[in-house]
Structure formats: structure tokens, C-alpha cells
Amino acid sequence: MRARLIQVTQRRGVRLSTATAFLKPAAQRPNLRVLTNAQVKGVRLDGKRAVGIEFWQGETLTSADARREVIVAAGAIGSPQILQLSGVGPAALLRQHGIEVRHELAGGSARTCRTTANRASFFACATPRRSMKSRTAIYGAPS
């Protein structure tokens, strides 16, 4: 048997989606506008300050200005990708892909995405697991 910590969003023991937990309660706020079928192109920068975003909605490229702050919340893969496409991240990587460096983030923009865990999950391993290093079968070994 192995144990690990996992992050869950729940209320009164019921697991919630992000929309149910955070978006629906804020949906009536006057400073929130939800757009569907939109794909972020990048964060608009004024020097090193984020001032808005550009996004595609259908075949139309449009932008949204921020009065106070820009929050990039596209997950562990999407957030670093958006930042890097905007020119924020490791300079060598950005240049390698032909992206103008707007703000070098030496440790990588992936460091901005952190996950915390607050629940324990227990499970039994019925099938052998393979070690990525040795490629040998390991039964019930902790990961």
C-alpha cells in the first residue's frame, strides 16, 4: 500500500469543479466578463508590466485591458506556455523558438506554477510498477 497527498476542491465532502467552486459564486460581479470559445494569444506587456491580454475569439483577434492586474490561470502546462509565447521566460528557450524576449525569467516561467497538496490518498498496487531508472519491476514500492 502506498500513500500520497493530493489536492482536491470540495465543499461538505463533495468534489467540485473549478466553475462550481469559483466561477459561479463570482458570476454576478460587475468586473467579471466570461467569454467562451476564446484562445489566449498572449499577455500584453508595457515594459515588464502586464497590462492586458490578446485572444482569439473565432477568427477575430481582440484584446482586453487590465485596470489592476493580469492573472494567468491556465494550469501547469498552459500558464507557462502563455507566458513564454508572450516573451516571458528563459531567454535561450525563447530565442530558440523565434520569440522576442520581453522579460527574462532565468528559472523558467514554469516556476510560477506550484501545486500544493492537502489530502491523503491511500491505494494498493495490484500490478507491478516499473522504475523509470532501472526498468525493473517494483511491487508496492513508494513512488
Side-chain angles (χ1 to χ4, degrees):
M1 181 180 323
R2 294 178 287 167
R4 68 178 172 181
L5 294 176
I6 60 169
Q7 181 179 7
V8 297
T9 303
Q10 64 182 23
R11 185 179 301 138
R12 295 185 201 98
V14 176
R15 192 163 182 177
L16 303 174
S17 70
T18 304
T20 302
F22 304 105
L23 187 57
K24 287 181 183 175
Q28 301 305 314
R29 293 176 59 169
N31 62 344
L32 175 66
R33 181 175 170 208
V34 177
L35 301 174
T36 58
N37 301 315
Q39 177 70 43
V40 175
K41 179 179 183 255
V43 177
R44 291 190 312 106
L45 300 170
D46 180 11
K48 293 183 178 181
R49 179 177 161 79
V51 295
I53 62 164
E54 288 185 313
F55 61 95
W56 291 99
Q57 193 165 29
E59 295 191 19
T60 305
L61 180 63
T62 190
S63 64
D65 297 323
R67 289 185 214 143
R68 299 173 91 188
E69 61 190 355
V70 173
I71 299 172
V72 179
I77 304 295
S79 294
Q81 180 185 32
I82 290 168
L83 291 172
Q84 289 170 0
L85 290 171
S86 304
V88 177
L93 176 68
L94 299 175
R95 287 188 190 106
Q96 176 184 343
H97 293 282
I99 299 170
E100 177 190 354
V101 178
R102 303 288 309 274
H103 178 56
E104 182 173 9
L105 192 56
S109 53
R111 72 184 179 148
T112 62
C113 300
R114 293 192 171 82
T115 308
T116 59
N118 57 6
R119 298 285 188 270
S121 170
F122 296 93
F123 55 96
C125 185
T127 58
R129 293 182 43 241
R130 299 211 176 263
S131 166
M132 294 304 287
K133 291 181 183 173
S134 66
R135 296 284 184 200
T136 58
I138 300 173
Y139 290 87
S143 53

